[in-house]
Amino acid sequence: MDKILTITAISGWALPCKWFAGEVAAAFPGSLIKVVYPQTPENPEEAEILLRRNPADLYIGYSLGSLWLLKYRYLLPDTARKALLAPILSFLKKDGLGGTTSETQLKYLSRILKQNKDRQGALRDFFSYSNLPFPETLIEQMPDRETLLRGLEFLRSCRAKGEDTKIFLSILGENDIFIDGDLLKRHIPHLDIVQGVGHAPGKLLEHLAGRLNLSADNL
């Protein structure tokens, strides 16, 4: 009997874990999937607990989750496969590491979340801007306001280096609205840029499965 592949996937900002788990499962059918959403991404003790509780054959960090995996890469087992989808070295454009978001834009989103009682409306706007399918049926499973704000602060303050990505497969859609692929590739020479793909995780996960020869046809 073939061994079941275990996957620990670190979610992107504001994504419901159940929805993201479904995206991973579609690309890696038959796998045992655990999705992690860090509540306090700057906290190394939380990271150690989350990764210790969720050992895997394959670790996937998507968007904010990619930056989180880079920050805590020293906690990952050497024998596991590791991948970054829509990888972030710095979210902010001013750092010159591939991010396309201004600090003003990030502060604006934070301010909307702090002031606007309609959290769903603010998130609906974000999903539309990101070209992500808004999971209406899972809205109640989205992170709470304080967790979302801590995630934005993490994106504002955390940075990684291109050399930190050496142990990871790194995959980016050429039309990602948050990342300048040409600039990021200067820092991650092995970056795999997928044509015709944006920021949404589905096609990136499919591409990763193909790269690992773990597509639906081979599982």
Side-chain angles (χ1 to χ4, degrees):
M1 183 177 178
D2 292 338
K3 181 179 180 295
I4 296 176
L5 178 72
T6 58
I7 300 174
T8 293
I10 318 302
S11 182
W13 187 78
L15 296 184
C17 289
K18 184 176 180 180
W19 179 84
F20 188 51
E23 295 289 291
V24 179
F28 296 91
S31 300
L32 181 61
I33 298 162
K34 297 177 182 178
V35 170
V36 170
Y37 194 107
Q39 301 295 300
T40 310
E42 284 285 0
N43 187 344
E45 293 181 358
E46 180 192 66
E48 187 171 2
I49 291 170
L50 289 173
L51 291 172
R52 186 173 66 243
R53 287 178 179 172
N54 299 286
D57 303 313
L58 171 63
Y59 293 85
I60 301 171
Y62 167 67
S63 194
L64 180 150
S66 71
L67 186 57
W68 189 87
L69 270 190
L70 284 169
K71 181 176 176 66
Y72 300 111
R73 65 193 181 283
Y74 61 90
L75 295 172
L76 302 176
D78 293 337
T79 55
R81 293 171 170 177
K82 309 165 187 72
L84 308 173
L85 306 182
I88 294 172
L89 298 180
S90 171
F91 196 61
L92 296 179
K93 184 176 182 178
K94 68 181 180 64
D95 293 325
L97 294 172
T100 62
T101 302
S102 71
E103 196 155 14
T104 299
Q105 288 173 309
L106 200 60
K107 287 179 178 178
Y108 176 72
L109 182 55
S110 295
R111 187 165 64 250
I112 287 177
L113 283 173
K114 289 176 181 176
Q115 297 176 350
N116 192 345
K117 294 181 180 180
D118 182 15
R119 178 178 65 107
Q120 295 183 19
L123 292 175
R124 197 174 280 109
D125 290 344
F126 168 78
F127 273 71
S128 176
Y129 175 75
S130 309
N131 198 27
L132 287 164
F134 186 73
E136 292 278 2
T137 59
L138 300 178
I139 185 65
E140 296 304 324
Q141 296 183 28
M142 286 184 169
D144 61 71
R145 189 188 309 269
E146 293 306 314
T147 298
L148 291 171
L149 288 169
R150 286 193 295 270
L152 291 180
E153 175 58 24
F154 178 74
L155 288 172
R156 187 195 69 79
S157 63
C158 188
R159 289 159 189 76
K161 299 177 181 178
E163 62 191 48
D164 298 338
T165 69
K166 289 181 179 178
I167 62 172
F168 296 89
L169 278 172
S170 297
I171 300 171
L172 174 70
E174 69 167 344
N175 299 325
D176 194 307
I177 196 168
F178 296 112
I179 303 164
D180 181 331
D182 292 336
L183 180 53
L184 187 62
K185 197 169 179 65
R186 299 180 198 172
H187 299 277
I188 309 177
H190 64 278
L191 179 67
D192 194 353
I193 300 179
V194 186
Q195 294 184 352
V197 173
H199 187 71
K203 294 295 184 181
L204 300 174
L205 287 161
E206 288 179 14
H207 189 81
L208 173 62
R211 282 286 306 272
L212 297 174
N213 197 29
L214 295 172
S215 61
D217 295 336
N218 295 309
L219 286 171

